[in-house]
Amino acid sequence: MGIEVVVEGLTKSFGRQNIWRDVSLTLPAGEVSVMLGPSGTGKTVFLKSLIGLLKPEKGRVLINGVDMVNSPERDIYETRKLFGLMFQDGALFGSLSLFDNIAFPLREHTRKKESEIRRIVMERIEVVGLLGAEGKLPGEISGGMRKRAGLARALVLDPQIILCDEPDSGLDPVRTAYLSQLLIDLNAQIDATMLIVTHNLDIAATVPDNMGMLFRRELVTFGPREVLLTSDEPVVSQFLGGRREGPIGMSEEKDAATLAAEANTATPAAARVIVPQLEPSPGLPPRRAVARRRERVMSMIDTLPPAARSAIRETYARDAGAVTVTAPVAGSGA
Ligand SMILES: Nc1ncnc2c1ncn2[C@@H]1O[C@H](COP(=O)(O)OP(=O)(O)OP(=O)(O)O)[C@@H](O)[C@H]1O
Ligand SMILES: [Mg+2]
């Protein structure tokens, strides 16, 4: 099962430019989380800080007792092997075939025999639906295929933590839907801890167990999907609702006068609906993360606004009815 990632009081600047400060959150083991935020708020910088490629000047990132900020480089290097990374641009080598691109981490970080490498690579190629394309160069395939090749490469070292930086950028809505399903199926199969950076509202609403949002150099929120989807925090509801009215403007922040003018004309916020989360494809095991997340939500439910509370109780009651009919209770195995 995946590993918990604990972020405590993280602050990152480049020279005198502060990117974000005092970011604290826990990525729960085996759950899928999404980080939202306007362009330029430091989401990619955050991912790179988690794996120790960038060094925040304050705070800690704890994984299995190793601090990816302050521990000795040797420990950080070892811990980095637990991660699978899918970069914003795919980051494939243009002169290597898809097969060789996907095999790269295995040849670089392990001493496996070529026959074993071949078995692993072909298995991952099948998972992401690229069988038959393994001999092609990145320049000979579509953007969506390159994304999936990047994901396959992220998977070859059996990662326990998977980071995806805008896996959907440049994909059409249909391919994005397939990718969302792929991420959920992956989580059901390997129970890895996942963090996805995206601007895509459909992904945000239907894929993750938890959502966070960076805005104005702070983590304005991080929590279970049920709580975020029913939030009345203006930044959160504006972003999730994809509306122009709200604190986020084209240049990231609006001035007070614009906000005041909008307050007079604003459309009422959408009703609190907790859109259903994607389920694993038929034949796959149920996601163990779901039950763990619900337990967490129930433990905090008394602290939530009344409307959120009732939306959550309704949703759970409805699902409980459905679950007893369709899915047997998961075994108690490890
Ligand atoms: N190595 C670096 N040196 C100096 N500044 C950097 C470096 N990397 C990122 N930045 C700055 O940090 C800020 C945040 O960048 P980042 O790429 O993390 O944004 P983002 O939220 O991922 O944006 P997008 O959604 O457009 O991908 C930007 O102002 C960027 O210029
Ligand atoms: Mg980015």
Side-chain angles (χ1 to χ4, degrees):
M1 168 172 128
I3 300 174
E4 177 178 85
V5 178
V6 179
V7 177
E8 291 176 357
L10 217 56
T11 297
K12 175 68 189 163
S13 307
F14 290 108
R16 294 173 59 187
Q17 184 196 9
N18 174 244
I19 306 299
W20 27 251
R21 60 187 165 233
D22 204 22
V23 174
S24 297
L25 59 84
T26 296
L27 301 179
E31 294 186 25
V32 182
S33 301
V34 152
M35 185 63 82
L36 301 163
S39 203
T41 45
K43 302 181 296 297
T44 298
V45 168
F46 184 71
L47 292 188
K48 288 182 175 167
S49 301
L50 295 185
I51 54 173
L53 285 182
L54 286 174
K55 295 290 173 188
E57 59 268 23
K58 263 205 278 185
R60 309 197 293 173
V61 175
L62 295 172
I63 296 163
N64 273 351
V66 173
D67 177 357
M68 300 303 279
V69 182
N70 305 298
S71 285
E73 226 17 75
R74 184 169 36 87
D75 296 347
I76 293 175
Y77 184 82
E78 280 305 309
T79 306
R80 204 175 283 148
K81 291 182 186 165
L82 301 172
F83 282 88
L85 302 173
M86 182 185 182
F87 290 101
Q88 204 160 352
D89 52 9
L92 301 172
F93 300 108
S95 59
L96 297 183
S97 69
L98 290 193
F99 183 96
D100 289 332
N101 263 291
I102 295 165
F104 191 83
L106 289 165
R107 291 176 176 152
E108 189 76 4
H109 288 293
T110 74
R111 292 177 185 181
K112 291 187 194 303
K113 290 200 295 266
E114 202 49 33
S115 58
E116 171 75 352
I117 290 179
R118 173 149 204 96
R119 188 187 61 74
I120 298 171
V121 170
M122 292 313 288
E123 214 174 271
R124 301 304 185 275
I125 282 180
E126 183 170 7
V127 168
V128 301
L130 285 175
L131 269 185
E134 60 271 14
K136 293 212 156 68
L137 293 174
E140 299 170 334
I141 59 174
S142 75
M145 291 167 85
R146 279 196 291 272
K147 288 278 181 190
R148 283 182 280 149
L151 184 57
R153 188 175 57 183
L155 298 177
V156 287
L157 292 176
D158 285 329
Q160 312 218 37
I161 308 166
I162 300 175
L163 308 179
C164 300
D165 199 351
E166 300 198 29
D168 53 292
S169 66
L171 299 190
D172 63 59
V174 174
R175 295 227 157 69
T176 299
Y178 276 114
L179 184 94
S180 297
Q181 188 66 54
L182 183 58
L183 293 169
I184 283 292
D185 288 353
L186 197 62
N187 180 256
Q189 286 165 294
I190 64 180
D191 208 21
T193 306
M194 298 166 68
L195 179 61
I196 303 163
V197 164
T198 184
H199 292 282
N200 185 292
L201 296 177
D202 288 328
I203 292 185
T206 60
V207 174
D209 298 297
N210 309 286
M211 287 184 242
M213 187 167 173
L214 287 168
F215 183 61
R216 290 185 187 164
R217 292 176 287 288
E218 314 236 351
L219 182 75
V220 286
T221 181
F222 185 85
R225 67 190 300 275
E226 293 90 337
V227 176
L228 275 281
L229 289 173
T230 56
S231 170
D232 30 50
E233 187 92 39
V235 185
V236 178
S237 61
Q238 183 194 358
F239 201 91
L240 291 177
R243 290 194 306 276
R244 271 183 300 144
E245 300 84 11
I248 310 172
M250 190 62 188
S251 56
E252 186 170 331
E253 299 181 25
K254 291 184 183 175
D255 58 46
T258 314
L259 277 175
E262 273 176 14
N264 296 323
T265 58
T267 45
R272 291 163 195 284
V273 276
I274 304 177
V275 289
Q277 190 177 22
L278 280 179
E279 304 254 356
S281 298
L284 292 181
R287 294 175 56 243
R288 284 175 276 173
V290 174
R292 294 195 295 258
R293 185 192 78 230
R294 290 188 169 195
E295 228 166 78
R296 205 167 54 250
V297 171
M298 288 315 288
S299 73
M300 63 169 74
I301 196 154
D302 291 332
T303 66
L304 302 176
R309 249 183 277 167
S310 55
I312 290 168
R313 289 216 165 94
E314 258 169 52
T315 308
Y316 283 10
R318 201 176 54 223
D319 290 358
V323 164
T324 47
V325 182
T326 58
V329 176
S332 57

